[in-house]
Amino acid sequence: MDLSSSLRAFAPELVLTATIFAVLVADLLMRSRTDRRRTGVLIALSLIGAGGALAWAASLLTRDLTATFSGMLALDPFAQFFRLFFLLVALVALVMAALSDEISRSRLGEYLLLLLTVTLGLTLLSSSKNLLMMYLSLELVSIPSYVLAGFKQGDRRSSEAALKYVIYGGVASGLTLFGFSLLYGLAHTLDVAQVGHQLAALQYGPATLLALVVALVLSLAGFAYKVAGVPFHMWAPDVYEGAPTPFTAFLSVGPKAAGFAVLIRFLLTAFGDPAGATVPWNLILAIMAALTMTVGNLTALVQNNLKRLLAFSSIAHAGYLLMAVAVGSWDAVRAVELYLVFYMLMNLGAFLCVQVVRDRVGSEQMAAYVDLRARSPLLALLLAVFLLSLIGLPPLAGFVGKFYLFAAVLQARSALYYVLALIGVLNSAIALYYYARVLRAMYLEKSPADQLQPSFSLSPATTALLLLLAVPTLLLGIFWFPLADALTGAATLFH
Amino acid sequence: MDFPQYATTSHLLTWIIFTPLIGVGLILLSLAIKPIFGWSKVVTDTIARGTGLAATAVVFLLAIVLGVGYADQPGELAFVHHFVWIRQFHIEYFVGVDGLNVALILLTALIGLVAMVASLPWGGRIEEGDHPHFSKRRVPGYMALFLILETGILGTFCALDFFLFYVFWELMLLPMYFLIGVWGAPTRVEGPGWIRGGPYAAIKFFLYTLVGSVLMLLAMIMLYYASGPAVLADGTVSEHTFNILYLAQMGQAGHFASAAPILGMAFSKVIFVGLFIGFAIKVPMFPLHTWLPDAHVDAPTPISVILAGLLLKTGGYGILRFNFQILPDAAHWAAIAVAILGAISIVYAAFVCMAQTDLKKLIAYSSVSHMGFVLLGAASFTDLGMNGAMFVMIAHGIISPMLFLIAGVIYDRAHTRDINSFGGLAVKLPEYAGITGLAFMASLGLPGLAGFVGEIMVFLGAYGATQTIFKVIVGVSAFALVITASYYLWAIHRMFLGQFNQKWSGLWDMNWRERFALYPLAVLTVVLGFYPMPVLDLFRNTLGSMAASIAALNLPGL
């Protein structure tokens, strides 16, 4: 594909880039205006930009856009799905930021701008098909994220979050880079597809095999860091707790999904079908999946801070997703995509509820949720819907997602996957306990008379956004066929 | 393989299943428009109660139409509603009535109505203890959850697509969790680190049943992928199927017995165990029964009624429908183990009952004991035994709600259920003493009452089973009848006979609400005790042929 058609396929990203600059300039030009006026303009600008990019990306859906920019990026259906996904997540995250009290109005411009930059990085990451491009977009996602995690000035936990994020991120990306360099040494190319061909053609002695295993494990570090998979999950709880809530929500969905996108593309193109692969990458991932969900769920059991609890829950969900990645079939890829859509709805919804409670009650602790059903009935009901969906109870979307994941795992019909699926379902039963603790606080408990928590009502914008997330969570749990059918195409067209 | 097409013949079942959900919609609507009309809490509470009563009554009437319509064609599949729901996994909406579920659907409609009547504060005064009565707290929520629960139970019994079944099966969990947790007993400390009460019982119930159902989920998916090609409702060919009737057809043709093994173990045995654990938790079978005493004791009366009367039956039904119908070879293999576990449940729980001083706990353990008969009878694979198992389910579904209502009657008045604190109540509450006597006698298996019919059929059937060990198991289980008789008689002795305890001179006899709930069940107990044929006729053919087909299996290596 030549440059001009490449650019046409790349239009949504260009819109996003233009929006970033527009927000930057508007923020600078309107320094003297009142906060109210300026935030209005900035939010409108970024929403229009991201929305425009989303609309453009949607209009490109039916086109065949394979290799662009001399094979650096692949705008195949797989990447296109993720592009839409990230733009949607970004739209929700932008509105959440606008609704939040945690982002000071005077610095909202910076926040929006950085968030849009991360989004751009995410779309690039999911479409990269070159090791160098993968690394660069990984960094494009990471660096603004460090700033966003520490966005609350003068807040110790936020600064701590940023620092931990930087240190872990630096180490992980260093490991990945080293892994990539070993791969380059073995394959003499940076193009992922070419790497795959070269690796398949290589003569394997013990030394080359060892080098390949080391290269794989090191490369996985950066991706595992993004999806918060064990043992690269340790940053997650502290960062999730310290970062401003709207960013935590974004972090738990956007970069995690991008991590899965690049992981799937990297493994399936460079290392190929797990059945005939030289290195047992599915075994490595299966072990990682089992560890990730078990560690995430068991640690979540003892959390009293809701943001921390949701952080561990999101680690556990990464474990379920890794389980399907380990299978590596097209059905599994579709299951991952479907699950991510459902996960986006329910996780963003749950974090939005946490954000509202934090802003109104001033706490993220379980105690702030006691008897919430009497203090804000609609919020309690919607949070219950999101949590029940996260548990995976029908007829909510989370159940359908889980069903697809387990179906993909069991379809493989081998001992490894039977054991993995068993660990997976037992984990999802354990998970019930900590989600139910929140339900119990909201519906079953009463606060002591001397510690009554305030009642509050929801703003129309918050209610609208919550309903926009909750209604699909319910409806997609009952009828998800059109979505799953559309994703079947997105999962198979890949190269 | 030839697959019969099950075409839609009626929408009646869909109406039965979803009528309660329409009620939920109305209740939510009344809450939404409450501020517009400036209604008070009393108005919405009354609307919620009226809607709840109306919805359960409509379900009951529709179920009678169903029962009358089905009585002409026992054993056949009827009232089918069938269409493709999600094409991708060949998931269908498929409900229908056959011999296995018809009696249970009727039972659900009846007990749903009875439990609803018991949930209303009308027709008699309610004296509040130190804790507000469940029927006056957060009424719209209670009614909405009650109706969702009813939809879940009805759907579970009606579904003939495994995926649909699973959705309804899980739908029962959540309302139950809240109904026990919110409207059940308040949290109490019974000792250091020994915190009991509604919230504890609710999460225990939820966790136990969820562990069972996730295993069922795995088994369901594995069964799906092992199934052969079949057809969908619209005639298109499907690679695999969730259609329970097709799965049964494949299973009985030996399809799953010869499927590829799982982790070196025979496919059908692994699936059998996975499904069986899920259902046995619900039954509940020893040693998976420990959630039951907590849940029953701390649930409000109508919810205990539903738990004992209906929820336990979903477990027994699941074993018959899935374990035995789809995996006959593995059922053959597991028969003796199932029978022994059933016998342990019968005997062990009876002994535990002897030690109880809490009336509700006694009744709860007696449920474990009686549900053991279902396992024993079903595992015998004889015509009599399997019919007996189903009849025990129906009889227990009528008698145990009576027992829980009885416990509720005394608790609402005395605010205690401690058997030892009563004495001579028959003087003060003659009507109550009479109906309690009837219910206790029915439960201990007095001839002439419904409980006896099922138990004697199970014993005769199990005694006639081909394996000799069944004769020993029957002998041991029959011993439990003596224990059962003694704990019930002893309870009557302690509560109603002897010196009247003056502490209870302020008690009053039954009121109209309680009569409305209890007398229909009492009448049924007597009628079915003398003439069980109308109920037996509903499922006789189906279970008889199922027993024959499993017994006739000539299974290699089992």
Side-chain angles (χ1 to χ4, degrees), chain A residues 180-192:
Chain A
F180 282 176
S181 70
L182 284 176
L183 274 184
Y184 180 73
L186 288 166
H188 309 290
T189 172
L190 285 174
D191 185 281
V192 182

Side-chain angles (χ1 to χ4, degrees), chain A residues 334 404 413 443 478 484 488, chain B residues 85 88 138 170 174 225 263:
Chain A
R334 179 186 66 193
Y404 270 72
R413 291 205 208 182
Y443 283 93
I478 296 166
T488 308
Chain B
W85 174 19
Q88 209 156 40
R138 290 152 78 171
E170 296 269 284
L174 192 71
Y225 279 120
L263 299 174

Side-chain angles (χ1 to χ4, degrees), chain A residues 46 105 107 140 216 220 233 324 341 361 409 413 440 444 464 491:
Chain A
S46 37
R105 296 292 106 174
R107 297 176 61 215
L140 184 60
L216 169 67
L220 284 181
H233 68 292
V341 174
V361 185
V409 174
R413 291 205 208 182
R440 178 184 165 143
L444 272 56

